Amino acid sequence: MMRTLAACTLLLALAAPAAAQQAPASGQRPQRLIVRNATIIDGNGTPASGPADIVVDGDTISRIVWLDPVAVRSGTARRPAGGAGTAEIDATGKYVLPGLINVHGHVQEERGGVPQPVDYELKLWLATGVTTVREVGTDSTARVLALRDRIARGEVAGPRLFVYARFHQGAGGAARTPEQARARVREIRALGADGIKAVGLDRDLMAAMLDEARKVGLRVAHHAGVEETNAWDDVRLGTTSIEHWYGIPDAAIPAGRQGFPADYNYRDETDRFRWAGRLWREADPDRLSALLDSMVAAGTAWVPTLVIYEASRDLQRAVTSPWFADYLHPTLERYFRPDPGHHGSYFIGWSSTDETYWKENYRIWMAALREFGRRGGLIGAGEDAGFIYQLYGFGLLRELELHQEAGFHPLKVIEHATGNNARILGEEGRLGRVRAGWAADLIVVDGNPLEDFKVLYPGGVPVMRDGRESRTNGIEWTIAAGVPYHVPTLLAEVRAIVADARRTPPP
Ligand SMILES: [Zn+2]
């Protein structure tokens, strides 16, 4: 009797169709979406595993059904049923990862005063697998907050945004006293921002800002410059994440200040970036080691944005990126040209000597990052695109390669850009995993990123198939909050935006 019942249940399960369901329409959320036969790389550093069917109901992963590979081969695997309103993606031979999180992004409505369509950035992010962006500083916080809400309501196609409003001291209504710093924090809270991006701080204002931020429950991303404060202040006062790297080697220089030449001027960007390339070499290894331990103990995360300085160590590579041909908006193209009037466009007279110092700078920086990770430090991945020859989304993919170059296993690299980034946002219970109950933010990749991160780039990589050269498809689908986006369609839309803008170039 028991045996008969079990056999009947099995037959019912077998009756469920395992294939030939309708493919999803790009940009429309089906009632139910099933990603079939996927090899999953989760965002928590665990090994790839599969095949599995991933069931998405609405904007949430509702079930993951692990399939016995032998049963899949013989056609007797128990698959979740489809039914009306169901769309399916066949991920046979494909890898499925959590949607990438970019914790250092900028929504840019203009470059150098020339308008640039936000749609261009949002679509590039989706097309490169980015389903969440921590927006760390815009000149139009109110508009970007409105954009965040429109994306959340499904009115605009884009990654979910967490908006960190800029906190400056000094200029333009920004804080000059600790009391004003506290008031500015409360103002940012009242605006509805998700956190604070702090730039350039004196110690008294930084202490007041971080104390008030803790009281009102806002996280703080700190872009330190070469300033009065350094990473010891971040550790002591409770910064959520240190952006880039300034403030870390500075905190380990025995003399307390880098050995600048007499004619150095911090406001001159060529000076600033040239001497930044000679900063890590001055850090004392023992002091640096103690600092990294303190950052780990304090839970201070590090978002190194290795990619945004890469032009400094290899300018030609940055200037001749192959994707510029199809995807570089003319506004950005103009903005990237060396020009003292544009932030980060400092490459006038950039020499082989500068690049050589920067290559050494990277070696020490990457070793410190690797050591921080080895000791349990929380490392995130961000790109800072829109500056210094970096394109939205492409920058984050390159960042993954650079984390690998720093010495991390590809599984850890993926964890940096997914699970760790979710933790930096305080969203680890909802984002950054392929797990039932988590947001349905997923990417379906043609190729194994653990073998080669380049399979993630639009256009894929060249491969030999049946003795002939062809290309892989890159990311085929980006699923953001349960909405599947067909990446080749998105890329065609971006190419059209760029081609159209090139016909009427900016002044
Ligand atoms: Zn930035």
Side-chain angles (χ1 to χ4, degrees):
M1 180 64 193
M2 285 298 282
R3 184 176 285 257
T4 319
L5 198 64
C8 285
T9 316
L10 183 63
L11 274 174
L12 267 175
L14 286 175
Q21 282 279 333
Q22 192 189 339
S26 187
Q28 287 174 36
R29 184 190 285 137
Q31 268 176 38
R32 169 172 280 192
L33 174 66
I34 305 178
V35 182
R36 299 260 186 213
N37 238 2
T39 302
I40 295 175
I41 304 173
D42 203 351
N44 59 346
T46 52
S49 184
D53 287 350
I54 303 165
V55 183
V56 172
D57 284 301
D59 60 4
T60 305
I61 299 169
S62 55
R63 253 192 326 149
I64 293 168
V65 182
W66 298 101
L67 302 166
D68 166 13
V70 178
V72 169
R73 260 175 201 282
S74 63
T76 58
R78 300 170 63 125
R79 318 295 293 264
T86 301
E88 296 201 356
I89 292 171
D90 179 11
T92 305
K94 311 281 162 69
Y95 283 75
V96 174
L97 283 64
L100 303 177
I101 302 174
N102 171 12
V103 284
H104 196 115
H106 297 279
V107 172
Q108 293 166 333
E109 299 178 310
E110 54 76 36
R111 305 311 298 128
V114 182
Q116 178 173 281
V118 169
D119 220 27
Y120 164 70
E121 297 147 38
L122 300 179
K123 283 183 170 156
L124 269 184
W125 273 326
L126 288 175
T128 48
V130 176
T131 53
T132 297
V133 173
R134 185 178 66 162
E135 210 290 343
V136 283
T138 165
D139 294 325
S140 47
T141 304
R143 279 200 300 280
V144 176
L145 284 168
L147 178 66
R148 172 196 70 184
D149 297 343
R150 292 179 65 205
I151 290 170
R153 290 195 297 267
E155 295 163 17
V156 175
R160 78 181 78 235
L161 298 179
F162 290 86
V163 180
Y164 281 39
R166 257 191 210 149
F167 180 101
H168 287 284
Q169 70 180 53
R176 287 192 175 82
T177 66
E179 260 327 297
Q180 285 174 355
R182 289 178 187 279
R184 173 67 185 145
V185 170
R186 292 192 295 269
E187 185 185 306
I188 287 171
R189 184 88 184 98
L191 274 174
D194 300 291
I196 294 169
K197 162 72 174 302
V199 189
L201 292 171
D202 286 339
R203 192 162 284 117
D204 55 340
L205 301 185
M206 181 173 173
M209 181 271 290
L210 277 160
D211 184 56
E212 196 68 21
R214 187 170 50 246
K215 284 180 185 156
V216 302
L218 289 175
R219 288 169 180 258
V220 177
H222 185 204
H223 171 158
V226 180
E227 290 157 25
E228 182 176 299
T229 51
N230 61 39
W232 287 116
D233 297 284
D234 291 301
V235 164
R236 185 170 56 85
L237 299 169
T239 297
T240 310
S241 64
I242 294 176
E243 303 302 297
H244 316 304
W245 53 281
Y246 302 106
I248 295 174
D250 315 61
I253 291 177
R257 187 56 73 203
Q258 190 181 355
F260 294 119
D263 61 352
Y264 174 91
N265 183 344
Y266 185 62
R267 297 274 154 219
D268 178 323
E269 286 205 340
T270 306
D271 260 8
R272 192 154 89 225
F273 283 90
R274 174 163 291 145
W275 287 89
R278 306 171 191 198
L279 181 47
W280 275 105
R281 67 196 339 259
E282 292 199 33
D284 173 70
D286 292 337
R287 284 171 192 250
L288 185 58
S289 174
L291 174 67
L292 296 178
D293 279 338
S294 301
M295 284 170 60
V296 173
T300 314
W302 187 359
V303 179
T305 65
L306 292 155
V307 68
I308 201 61
Y309 303 93
E310 208 183 10
S312 299
R313 75 168 182 174
D314 190 351
L315 183 58
Q316 187 177 325
R317 179 186 213 285
V319 173
T320 56
S321 293
W323 29 85
F324 285 176
D326 285 333
Y327 299 108
L328 180 62
H329 197 281
T331 303
L332 216 46
E333 192 269 327
R334 188 171 182 278
Y335 187 75
F336 285 163
R337 275 182 229 156
D339 182 342
H342 295 162
H343 178 52
S345 304
Y346 49 87
F347 296 99
I348 296 167
W350 200 252
S351 67
S352 61
T353 305
D354 290 318
E355 291 191 350
T356 301
Y357 274 112
W358 264 98
K359 283 170 186 165
E360 182 202 44
N361 214 38
Y362 264 84
R363 286 195 290 275
I364 308 169
W365 177 14
M366 284 176 164
L369 186 68
R370 181 71 193 88
E371 195 51 38
F372 179 65
R374 191 175 283 139
R375 295 177 192 190
L378 181 59
I379 298 170
E383 64 176 6
D384 210 6
F387 299 101
I388 323 181
Y389 302 103
Q390 291 306 322
L391 281 190
Y392 314 95
F394 290 88
L396 190 69
L397 299 181
R398 179 64 188 154
E399 181 73 8
L400 302 183
E401 292 189 68
L402 292 170
H403 284 227
Q404 183 177 24
E405 183 182 326
F408 295 95
H409 189 285
L411 286 168
K412 297 301 286 180
V413 175
I414 290 168
E415 188 182 12
H416 293 173
T418 56
N420 281 9
N421 277 354
R423 282 206 273 161
I424 290 169
L425 288 164
E427 297 285 335
E428 66 272 27
R430 183 167 77 99
L431 302 179
R433 297 284 307 274
V434 183
R435 188 171 166 185
W438 262 243
D441 293 354
L442 301 165
I443 57 176
V444 181
V445 183
D446 181 24
N448 181 356
L450 298 173
E451 184 189 1
D452 184 3
F453 282 120
K454 295 182 197 299
V455 300
L456 296 165
Y457 285 106
V461 295
V463 285
M464 292 299 282
R465 280 196 190 113
D466 303 325
R468 292 177 58 189
E469 192 185 331
S470 69
R471 292 191 77 87
T472 60
N473 296 323
I475 298 170
E476 293 183 348
W477 291 91
T478 295
I479 302 162
V483 181
Y485 292 94
H486 184 236
V487 169
T489 303
L490 284 171
L491 289 169
E493 288 167 8
V494 175
R495 285 195 299 272
I497 291 173
V498 170
D500 202 46
R502 282 177 184 168
R503 277 191 287 275
T504 49

